[in-house]
Amino acid sequence: MSEPIRIVLCGANGRMGRAVAAAVEKDGRFSIAAGVDRSGAFASPERLPELLKTADVLVDFSSAGPALSFIEAAAAAGVPAVSGTTGFDESRRKCLETLSGRIPLLVAANMSLGMNLLYHLAARAAAALPSYDAAVSETHHALKKDSPSGSALRLIDAVKAARRDGRPVGAASLRVGDVVGDHTLVLAGPGERIELTHRAQSREVFARGALEAALWIRGRKAGLYSMADVLDIPAA
Ligand code: NAD
């Protein structure tokens, strides 16, 4: 078996950082070279340049400001990076684009393989049934603040981009219990309806998606990539 891919994990003490570390434990293709966080018993971000010298990929789940500086450090070290952090504003997105001129960089607000496939299927279905009404419903845990979720907005955009007729796409959100994340696209026409649903049952799906992305990105040329590239499907 080939050597495990050495990951420097940024945001290692967070919910997602811990989920990635747990997924690595179960998967011999990867090892954690170092965990970086400002809290817990992890290396401080100042040590990143040194830590990246023995890393194959940087994986980041932190927050938008620090994530950008972690990716800058990866670019300086010539190490590919995968970031699942959300909330990059326009100016940070531009910086990410610039950095992707130096290293392969994959950024995805939802790392689940299934959810990324759903974007693609939603676009195909909406284009095939242009006269049907379209609406997206989503359910998340009670602590989630944004609504509709970023993934629901992305699903709505995929439908709108596929149709290009300016028709509205409905949206409904529920915040209850500890639901990790359910998303459904409904297409309804006379006498029938189609429902395409994705349910994330644990954070593990996002962690496993990030690991698949880390595996995929090694050896790629510099550029900005998405999970659609990992799945080898058109971006929706
Ligand atoms: P969290 O708050 O539990 O963890 C974030 C971690 O980053 C914390 O341990 C924190 O100490 C660390 N951190 C923040 N600023 C830092 C800094 N300046 N230096 C070093 N460490 C720093 O959050 P989470 O639930 O793990 O989510 C992290 C990010 O991932 C969020 O942006 C979230 O929206 C996103 N997320 C993405 C996906 C996906 O599939 N792409 C899935 C879940 C969450």
Side-chain angles (χ1 to χ4, degrees), residues 138-142 144 174-182 200-201:
E138 54 99 350
T139 306
H140 281 87
H141 55 85
K144 185 169 174 65
L174 275 180
R175 294 290 171 264
V176 285
D178 60 357
V179 180
V180 175
D182 294 353
Q201 278 152 213

Side-chain angles (χ1 to χ4, degrees), residues 15 31 43 48-49 51 58 68-69 74 97 117 143 161 170 174 177 180 190-191 196 203 207 226 229:
R15 281 165 292 211
S31 69
L48 253 184
L51 298 170
L58 177 144
L68 193 55
S69 67
E97 253 180 77
L117 180 63
L143 297 177
L174 275 180
V180 175
L196 295 173
R203 285 192 179 83
S226 72
D229 296 306

Side-chain angles (χ1 to χ4, degrees), residues 11 13-16 37-39 45 61-62 66 84 86 108-111 206:
N13 200 33
R15 281 165 292 211
M16 276 311 302
D37 206 296
R38 65 179 171 192
S39 67
F61 282 95
S62 56
T86 59
N110 190 316
M111 289 275 181
F206 309 123

Side-chain angles (χ1 to χ4, degrees), residues 125-127 129-134 158-167 187:
L129 299 168
S131 65
Y132 281 29
D133 292 334
V159 171
K160 285 185 173 169
R163 289 184 162 177
R164 294 175 195 214
D165 59 2
R167 286 174 66 203
L187 294 171

Side-chain angles (χ1 to χ4, degrees), residues 66-167:
L68 193 55
S69 67
F70 302 154
I71 295 165
E72 273 166 2
V79 172
V82 169
S83 177
T85 294
T86 59
F88 294 112
D89 59 20
E90 200 49 40
S91 82
R92 287 189 174 121
R93 291 213 156 267
K94 288 217 168 77
C95 294
L96 291 175
E97 253 180 77
T98 306
L99 291 169
S100 72
R102 294 161 63 190
I103 50 165
L105 169 62
L106 187 148
V107 181
N110 190 316
M111 289 275 181
S112 142
L113 299 176
M115 193 64 203
N116 281 278
L117 180 63
L118 181 61
Y119 298 141
H120 172 69
L121 297 175
R124 293 283 303 271
L129 299 168
S131 65
Y132 281 29
D133 292 334
V136 169
S137 67
E138 54 99 350
T139 306
H140 281 87
H141 55 85
L143 297 177
K144 185 169 174 65
K145 292 194 184 104
D146 54 321
S147 155
S149 69
S151 301
L153 293 173
R154 173 91 197 277
L155 209 44
I156 290 168
D157 284 348
V159 171
K160 285 185 173 169
R163 289 184 162 177
R164 294 175 195 214
D165 59 2
R167 286 174 66 203

Side-chain angles (χ1 to χ4, degrees), residues 196-220:
L196 295 173
T197 296
H198 176 265
R199 298 185 205 284
Q201 278 152 213
S202 79
R203 285 192 179 83
E204 193 180 343
V205 294
F206 309 123
R208 289 166 60 86
L211 293 184
E212 289 307 318
L215 190 65
W216 180 89
I217 207 167
R218 277 188 77 202
R220 302 277 160 188

